[in-house]
Amino acid sequence: VVDRGSQGAPVTIVCHREANGGIPMMSTVRNTGSILVFSDCKTERVVVETLEAGAHHFFDIGESPRLMQARLAAALRSRLKWSQGVFRVRPFRFDLDKRRAWRDGRLIALTPKEFDLAYYLFSHRRRSVDDSELMTAIWSLPRTMDTTRPIGTAASRLRTKMGLGPSDAFWWLKRLPSKGYKLIPVVLR
């Protein structure tokens, strides 16, 4: 189901049942907007793999209707904040509507989660961002969930794809032990 909300931001809703096994077929979803997955499956593996495969939010259909409605409203509000044109931080340009990023005019092949993480880190580049904040903002997982594997994997891919290593020009994506991640401008190193 695709719905163009009040701001024209497409939303795809994927329904998944635990009886079907595995993770939802995210590869069949062609959407530049938010992908919302509703499922009765609560295993950490399925939730994490679904979010890593490109879903933006994972909803447990066993929650109360009131709680699910509040979570859905928050997810849609968050999507509307992302649909605001172009965001630039030298040498990068982020197209928030098409969810694409460029470095010096060259398209960077980012997965949906990598794009979300890159944009989030650059839009909060003046401070460190801790793991629990990223788990909630990017992976839609509770702050209390004890897994940082998706963050570390995505951060490593960003360093390679975007040139954010310690010897690269412009920005360095640094892991701060017990504090999360921080983008450090070259001039401050």
Side-chain angles (χ1 to χ4, degrees):
V1 176
V2 177
D3 174 28
R4 297 205 178 266
S6 61
Q7 300 293 318
V11 175
T12 300
I13 297 175
V14 177
C15 297
H16 174 259
R17 301 295 285 187
E18 186 170 21
N20 296 342
I23 67 167
M25 295 293 295
M26 299 304 298
S27 61
T28 62
V29 177
R30 303 263 187 253
N31 182 16
T32 58
S34 287
I35 301 170
L36 312 178
V37 174
F38 291 82
S39 178
D40 63 347
C41 186
K42 298 175 187 159
T43 67
E44 180 180 310
R45 181 188 67 80
V46 170
V47 174
V48 170
E49 287 180 16
T50 300
L51 293 167
E52 286 180 340
H56 296 93
H57 299 277
F58 192 98
F59 297 91
D60 175 6
I61 61 174
E63 293 178 332
S64 74
R66 183 172 181 221
L67 181 56
M68 196 173 318
Q69 182 178 12
R71 286 185 195 272
L72 180 58
L76 293 174
R77 276 192 312 272
S78 122
R79 172 62 190 153
L80 293 177
K81 286 191 278 183
W82 286 62
S83 292
Q84 298 177 1
V86 175
F87 174 77
R88 296 174 197 270
V89 176
R90 187 174 179 246
F92 301 104
R93 181 171 63 94
F94 295 88
D95 182 327
L96 304 180
D97 297 319
K98 293 180 181 174
R99 298 172 50 73
R100 293 185 179 159
W102 288 264
R103 179 182 174 141
D104 294 324
R106 290 190 195 140
L107 182 64
I108 305 167
L110 298 176
T111 66
K113 284 295 171 205
E114 290 167 356
F115 177 88
D116 293 347
L117 179 60
Y119 172 69
Y120 194 85
L121 289 168
F122 274 100
S123 63
H124 295 90
R125 65 192 175 280
R126 290 178 178 81
R127 65 180 179 88
S128 62
V129 181
D130 69 26
D131 292 336
S132 63
E133 179 180 347
L134 291 172
M135 291 301 284
T136 301
I138 307 302
W139 279 267
S140 302
L141 295 172
R143 286 181 177 263
T144 57
M145 186 173 269
D146 187 24
T147 178
T148 57
R149 181 178 57 92
I151 300 169
T153 302
S156 177
R157 287 190 210 130
L158 284 183
R159 282 188 198 98
T160 302
K161 291 180 177 184
M162 297 182 75
L164 300 174
S167 62
D168 292 311
F170 297 104
W171 296 96
W172 174 27
L173 178 55
K174 183 174 183 179
R175 171 80 177 139
L176 304 171
S178 303
K179 291 186 180 181
Y181 291 86
K182 180 162 178 61
L183 281 164
I184 300 174
V186 171
V187 294
L188 295 181
R189 282 196 276 164

